[in-house]
Amino acid sequence: GRTMNDQELRVQFERMARGETEAFDAVYADMKMPVYTVILRTLGDRQLAEDVLQEVFVKLYRRPPCEVRAARAYLFRMARNSALDCLRRQPSFEGDEALDAVPDDAPTDGGVGLRMDLETALQRLSVNDRQIVTLHSLAGLKFREIAELMRLPLGTVLWRYRRAIERLRELL
């Protein structure tokens, strides 16, 4: 179903800033799944993703933003940054260049050619490419918003999205 648009979310943020608890409940209920998906696809670990999800909403509860223009982008930026921080804290993390590295566990299915499901296929993309795909197709952000959020040039985001989608088509 449809989640809150920028305008609706901004109104809820303003109500939260005035201390209205039910506004927080509404935001949590509405945005929990898309935010969780962004986090999960960054981390690839359900337990960690649930921890980070709680972390994001606790931060939001404690310091609701007032006067944000792009409320959805703001929330997804929080989710993305918290997920990346969590990733960097993992003992196995190999530095920020790893965020762009495509995992090299290419499918070796002995030529049986089994098609994999979307989540498995997404894990074959680099963290950053996975985020671009998720933020666009799931969170519904425009490429311009993703470019701002990830601090990348628009052209780079468009190119990486196209490349990631082609890669997914091959895998699926």
Side-chain angles (χ1 to χ4, degrees):
R2 193 186 75 81
T3 54
M4 291 180 190
N5 64 28
D6 261 344
Q7 181 59 43
E8 293 161 333
L9 196 55
R10 199 163 59 234
V11 169
Q12 296 300 346
F13 282 172
E14 283 161 11
R15 290 181 57 212
M16 282 168 61
R18 292 197 299 268
E20 299 180 31
T21 329
E22 61 278 8
F24 174 80
D25 296 339
V27 171
Y28 183 74
D30 195 70
M31 297 302 294
K32 180 178 62 181
M33 274 325 286
V35 168
Y36 174 73
T37 305
V38 168
I39 296 167
L40 178 63
R41 287 188 184 167
T42 303
L43 298 174
D45 179 304
R46 287 179 189 285
Q47 193 53 61
L48 281 176
E50 283 177 23
D51 293 347
V52 173
L53 178 71
Q54 299 313 320
E55 197 182 292
V56 167
F57 277 99
V58 166
K59 276 185 205 160
L60 189 66
Y61 183 79
R62 287 201 185 125
R63 298 193 32 204
C66 345
E67 296 170 32
V68 284
R69 199 188 61 234
R72 285 174 63 88
Y74 176 89
L75 187 54
F76 288 118
R77 183 183 296 121
M78 273 181 77
R80 174 176 186 271
N81 290 344
S82 299
L84 290 177
D85 288 346
C86 176
L87 198 62
R88 290 186 183 110
R89 290 194 300 264
Q90 298 314 302
S92 59
F93 186 66
E94 291 149 17
D96 281 359
E97 57 280 359
L99 299 178
D100 274 329
V102 178
D104 53 5
D105 53 359
T108 48
D109 55 14
V112 186
L114 294 172
R115 289 182 127 30
M116 56 176 88
D117 68 285
L118 180 63
E119 290 305 323
T120 314
L122 277 160
Q123 292 303 322
R124 295 273 152 75
L125 300 176
S126 74
V127 174
N128 282 335
D129 287 359
R130 200 155 65 222
Q131 289 196 329
I132 290 170
V133 171
T134 304
L135 289 166
H136 180 68
S137 58
L138 185 107
L141 293 189
K142 296 179 178 70
F143 290 113
R144 194 187 65 248
E145 295 173 308
I146 296 169
E148 272 176 41
L149 192 155
M150 295 183 74
R151 295 183 172 79
L152 290 170
L154 179 61
T156 303
V157 171
L158 290 168
W159 177 78
R160 295 184 73 148
Y161 178 79
R162 251 204 331 268
R163 191 189 59 183
I165 292 299
E166 279 165 20
R167 176 106 171 92
L168 288 174
R169 279 208 193 100
E170 285 165 24
L171 292 168
L172 299 168

